[in-house]
Amino acid sequence: MSSFAPTSSETGAGSKDYTRFNSADAEFFQGISRIEYKPDSKPDETMCYKHYSASQVVKGRTMEEWLRFSVCFWHTFRGTGADPFGFPTLIRPWDDGSNTIENAKRRLRAAFEFFTKLGVKYWAFHDRDVAPEGATLEESNKNLDVIVDLAQELQTKTGVKLLWATCNLFAHPRYMNGAASNPSAHIFAYAAAQVKKGLEIAKKLGAVNFVFWGGREGYHTLLNTKVLSELTHLANFFKMAVAYKKKIGFTGQLLIEPKPKEPTKHQYDYDAMTVIGFLKHFGLDKDFKINVEPNHTTLAGHSYEHDVVMSSAFGMLGSIDSNTGSPDLGWDTDQFPMDIKNCTLVMKTVLEQGGIAPGGLNFDCKVRRESTDLRDMFISHIGAMDSFARGLKAAAKILEEGVLEKYVKARYSSYESGIGKKIDEGTATFEELEEFIKKNGNPVAESGQQEHYESVLNYYV
Ligand code: XLS
Ligand code: NI
Ligand code: NI
């Protein structure tokens, strides 16, 4: 990869005038105004909402309240389009490619203009995306303080709120063998100190959640790994986070984001059920919920909505990193969710559980490397927001008409009374069930009717 490293003339960095973006009233997205709702717009008018109307009421709440969209800072303002085979393609006019505070401030101002023009009320970031990492922890914290002050000012000015903050515990080489599951206690301590600061800034910015994603918490070979020690350390790390959160009075919901692999071969937070088992085993399930990312769910070999449904069933669905993979690829492509059926299935669960707050739908998505215009940043978010608005409307109709529900209810009706009710409530015994069979004889297996259910769903999408 290093032999492919671009020079500044190849990236365009350093050759332009960035100072015009330094003032507080600089405009970053010239010629683009506030995105409007235009339900009658033509098919190729993609710089407006056709379905997402923030104030439109669906099932007793506004679309804005149900959907709680959030823009992620890392992809949308730090993504460069570089990949292992090619140079950056997403060269933003305000970004000089440097690791300076000035550049960080420009990016942040550009981001808040973007959130405002798009009309999205939440954002999310990693500590190291917003502020440059220094040579020491103290230096990094000092950089963060400067940027967090500006973020606070911009949040107040625009009314945009922080859906969640997180710490980047995976990019720096010190974390190559993990952070809280690192074989070195020294590195564990560094990660803890970093999260301590992360919780403090989350509190300062009024974050309604705080996320842990363990991209390097796992193993590449079991030959060098003490799995139970690593998992115990990981749990102890989370216990310290809970204790510190309580100590400083941070009220945001703590979330764990499952992912089976990438960058680590096997990640401990494999999928929703693995995380729920881990949390219950270590007595952490009252303090954490799950941030489901559907692209991770499909990476784990499940269907798109699987982890959303599973976490919700256990009362553990906290938030959603609403993105998608490419079904023909096997990795985390972080694409904008444009599939209405997927969005419908996610929103069906969100409606069924009465909403996703304090979580939201965070666009952990990146425009394709080839989508190089500033307008593509808008079009991608607008397209995904419209897909979710359609998903919300379709899901509301599915629930209101209750057709699917009627069939599901009938399918399980044998558990509503008699011996079935006793099984459901956990009071039946093997002896009783044997008696039941002797008395009632052989059961009849009924059709699962999958195609019938699929046809009903298609009617609504
Ligand atoms: C990576 C994850 C990451 C988390 C935040 O695959 O999705 O972006 O959401 O650290
Ligand atoms: Ni994510
Ligand atoms: Ni991801």
Side-chain angles (χ1 to χ4, degrees):
M1 165 140 181
S2 58
S3 60
F4 287 109
T7 64
S8 60
S9 63
E10 280 158 342
T11 62
S15 59
K16 299 187 196 99
D17 174 24
Y18 300 96
T19 52
R20 70 189 172 96
F21 291 111
N22 285 349
S23 75
D25 55 4
E27 194 181 7
F28 297 82
F29 299 92
Q30 280 170 11
I32 296 176
S33 40
R34 172 76 201 235
I35 305 299
E36 287 173 51
Y37 172 55
K38 292 189 191 162
D40 300 323
S41 49
K42 296 196 190 76
D44 59 350
E45 285 181 62
T46 50
M47 283 289 277
C48 59
Y49 297 113
K50 292 180 167 59
H51 299 274
Y52 179 66
S53 164
S55 59
Q56 188 183 324
V57 175
V58 177
K59 261 189 145 330
R61 275 184 223 167
T62 62
M63 283 196 175
E64 186 170 271
E65 285 169 312
W66 281 121
L67 296 163
R68 296 172 62 82
F69 290 127
S70 154
V71 173
C72 90
F73 192 83
W74 53 99
H75 286 312
T76 301
F77 290 90
R78 299 307 308 274
T80 63
D83 70 16
F85 304 94
F87 302 155
T89 56
L90 308 175
I91 313 296
R92 305 307 183 197
W94 56 82
D95 195 321
D96 67 10
S98 75
N99 206 18
T100 57
I101 290 278
E102 275 316 305
N103 204 26
K105 285 183 174 173
R106 284 195 294 268
R107 288 188 197 113
L108 201 63
R109 288 210 178 89
F112 275 81
E113 184 184 316
F114 180 76
F115 309 152
T116 311
K117 286 187 166 169
L118 196 60
V120 161
K121 288 286 152 61
Y122 290 93
W123 70 304
F125 67 82
H126 298 80
D127 50 359
R128 302 300 182 240
D129 327 318
V130 285
E133 174 144 20
T136 59
L137 181 73
E138 291 87 338
E139 217 180 280
S140 301
N141 287 354
K142 230 173 88 199
N143 291 345
L144 261 176
D145 286 336
V146 175
I147 295 300
V148 165
D149 280 347
L150 177 62
Q152 197 173 31
E153 188 189 312
L154 292 167
Q155 286 191 170
T156 310
K157 192 170 137 198
T158 58
V160 172
K161 300 190 189 88
L162 185 54
L163 185 71
W164 49 266
T166 186
C167 288
N168 184 323
L169 304 176
F170 46 88
H172 194 281
R174 81 171 68 84
Y175 294 128
M176 68 181 186
N177 292 303
S181 65
N182 200 290
S184 152
H186 200 144
I187 291 170
F188 180 105
Y190 199 100
Q194 193 179 327
V195 170
K196 176 176 176 288
K197 180 70 178 175
L199 290 168
E200 289 162 11
I201 63 169
K203 180 182 178 212
K204 185 161 177 192
L205 292 174
V208 284
N209 299 275
F210 189 90
V211 166
F212 293 88
W213 171 65
R216 306 269 177 201
E217 316 291 15
Y219 61 80
H220 282 285
T221 170
L222 286 167
L223 290 174
N224 67 8
T225 307
K226 285 172 77 171
V227 286
L228 186 58
S229 298
E230 292 202 354
L231 283 162
T232 306
H233 299 162
L234 192 57
N236 291 344
F237 189 86
F238 290 138
K239 285 177 190 167
M240 290 182 224
V242 171
Y244 192 65
K245 169 196 158 167
K246 288 185 181 152
K247 182 174 171 190
I248 63 172
F250 170 56
T251 53
Q253 173 68 52
L254 301 180
L255 300 169
I256 294 183
E257 182 176 326
K259 186 172 184 181
K261 56 190 165 192
E262 197 207 22
T264 305
K265 178 183 111 157
H266 173 89
Q267 284 165 214
Y268 291 134
D269 301 332
Y270 198 91
D271 62 2
M273 288 311 289
T274 309
V275 172
I276 292 170
F278 166 86
L279 290 171
K280 291 216 189 262
H281 179 82
F282 287 102
L284 284 158
D285 51 304
K286 297 283 171 288
D287 294 299
F288 284 82
K289 283 191 174 176
I290 296 180
N291 181 37
V292 174
E293 180 167 317
N295 198 165
H296 299 175
T297 310
T298 50
L299 260 185
H302 306 307
S303 60
Y304 188 87
E305 71 282 9
H306 173 93
D307 271 6
V308 167
V309 172
M310 296 308 272
S311 345
S312 178
F314 286 84
M316 297 290 276
L317 177 62
S319 200
I320 301 172
D321 267 5
S322 37
N323 65 2
T324 190
S326 204
D328 45 359
L329 294 174
W331 65 88
D332 198 11
T333 55
D334 290 328
Q335 287 171 228
F336 283 86
M338 297 285 188
D339 182 307
I340 320 282
K341 199 179 278 183
N342 283 342
C343 295
T344 303
L345 291 170
V346 167
M347 289 318 294
K348 179 171 170 284
T349 298
V350 170
L351 287 170
E352 280 166 347
Q353 70 162 35
I356 189 86
L361 302 184
N362 174 52
F363 290 120
D364 191 351
C365 313
K366 55 188 179 207
V367 288
R368 298 303 83 193
R369 180 168 192 264
E370 305 76 22
S371 302
T372 51
D373 294 343
L374 290 186
R375 288 166 69 90
D376 296 321
M377 294 169 69
F378 283 89
I379 293 168
S380 53
H381 283 85
I382 294 166
M385 289 163 75
D386 261 353
S387 303
F388 265 101
R390 287 175 70 177
L392 171 65
K393 287 188 275 188
K397 199 152 182 249
I398 291 173
L399 296 184
E400 268 153 25
E401 297 190 358
V403 179
L404 274 179
E405 199 189 329
K406 185 182 79 192
Y407 284 98
V408 176
K409 191 171 157 40
R411 192 162 186 241
Y412 290 87
S413 59
S414 64
Y415 289 95
E416 281 169 13
S417 59
I419 194 73
K421 193 157 188 239
K422 289 189 87 180
I423 296 172
D424 192 64
E425 288 166 350
T427 56
T429 65
F430 269 8
E431 293 89 327
E432 257 181 295
L433 293 167
E434 185 189 43
E435 263 321 297
F436 177 85
I437 294 301
K438 283 181 179 163
K439 206 169 131 211
N440 293 281
N442 289 343
V444 181
E446 283 173 16
S447 169
Q449 301 179 310
Q450 176 170 331
E451 301 78 4
H452 171 74
Y453 285 84
E454 288 167 343
S455 304
V456 174
L457 176 65
N458 277 351
Y459 171 84
Y460 290 98
V461 176

